[in-house]
Amino acid sequence: MRELRFHREVYREDAVGAVEETFADVAKLERASEGDYIVVRVTGDSPAAERALAGELSNFVLGVTIDRAQGAQAPDPALPGRDALETVDGPPGRASS
């Protein structure tokens, strides 16, 4: 299990919600509120998958936060390359054959 902490002064709550909707079929995600932070716990099929997912989720939340701050609509949940996350068995960026 990996834990991601998003400070409310930087990240939007709805951006974290978008992550839950988009990645729910790839990993188990639990959201909690701890003071000034939105906490997301990520559980994947392996430690390598969790590591890769944590990086992708962090980037996704940042991207949605930036887009929405600039007035853009929510991203399409059909992300390119998302299927590769399901087969990760090594360091981030390396998918199994």
Side-chain angles (χ1 to χ4, degrees):
M1 192 257 313
R2 295 270 174 161
E3 185 173 279
L4 305 172
R5 301 176 66 80
F6 301 100
H7 198 282
R8 293 178 194 280
E9 287 184 20
V10 177
Y11 298 95
R12 294 175 55 118
E13 183 97 26
D14 60 335
V16 177
V19 162
E20 290 177 315
E21 294 172 22
T22 304
F23 289 90
D25 61 332
V26 178
K28 179 182 174 194
L29 305 175
E30 294 177 46
R31 181 168 46 166
S33 182
E34 294 182 10
D36 291 336
Y37 292 89
I38 305 162
V39 178
V40 177
R41 293 178 184 93
V42 181
T43 304
D45 292 336
S46 69
E50 288 175 358
R51 204 171 33 252
L53 284 164
E56 292 298 324
L57 297 177
S58 296
N59 287 336
F60 188 86
V61 170
L62 178 60
V64 172
T65 296
I66 291 168
D67 287 347
R68 292 191 178 168
Q70 295 174 347
Q73 297 297 316
D76 185 344
L79 296 174
R82 196 173 99 187
D83 293 335
L85 292 173
E86 296 176 11
T87 60
V88 172
D89 67 353
R94 190 178 116 201
S96 64
S97 315

